[in-house]
């Protein structure tokens, strides 16, 4: 809620997460892909450690990685076009 804190967090995410991830992506739209990955990771961090939503807060990394990994992999390398509704 504090403007200074929000700006500091935005800058950290932009530089340390998005910038680093986008710098190694070798497919189309690296900045968009990096922002998608960052948003997923930030959401997971908030859910697990800030809000401590069960069962996310209780899952071990070995259980969580296979659940989240495919989404991150799609953001990094997959087709970003919207899927048609079923």
């Amino acid at each position: 809620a504090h403007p200074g804190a929000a700006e500091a967090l935005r800058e950290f995410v932009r530089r340390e997460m998005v910038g680093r991830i986008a710098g190694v992506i070798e497919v189309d739209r690296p900045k968009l892909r990096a922002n998608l990955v960052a948003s997923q990771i930030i959401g997971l961090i908030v859910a697990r450690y800030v809000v401590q939503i069960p069962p996310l807060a209780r899952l071990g990394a070995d259980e969580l990685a296979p659940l989240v990994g495919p989404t991150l992999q799609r953001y990094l390398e997959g087709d970003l076009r919207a899927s048609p509704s079923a």
Side-chain angles (χ1 to χ4, degrees):
H2 187 275
E7 181 56 35
L9 179 58
R10 224 181 343 269
E11 181 58 26
F12 172 80
V13 169
R14 186 193 63 74
R15 184 182 63 248
E16 299 298 329
M17 294 182 79
V18 173
R20 289 178 185 225
I21 295 167
V24 297
I25 293 176
E26 297 180 356
V27 293
D28 66 314
R29 303 166 81 183
K31 278 197 145 176
L32 173 60
R33 291 172 183 276
N35 276 283
L36 289 167
V37 169
S39 71
Q40 192 77 31
I41 292 170
I42 292 166
L44 187 57
I45 290 168
V46 170
R48 279 178 61 92
Y49 301 108
V50 177
V51 185
Q52 298 183 357
I53 298 173
L56 288 177
R58 292 190 301 262
L59 287 176
D62 59 331
E63 298 171 285
L64 191 57
L67 297 172
V68 177
T71 298
L72 297 178
Q73 197 67 40
R74 183 175 85 75
Y75 289 161
L76 291 169
E77 300 178 333
D79 186 357
L80 294 183
R81 291 177 294 182
S83 319
S85 307

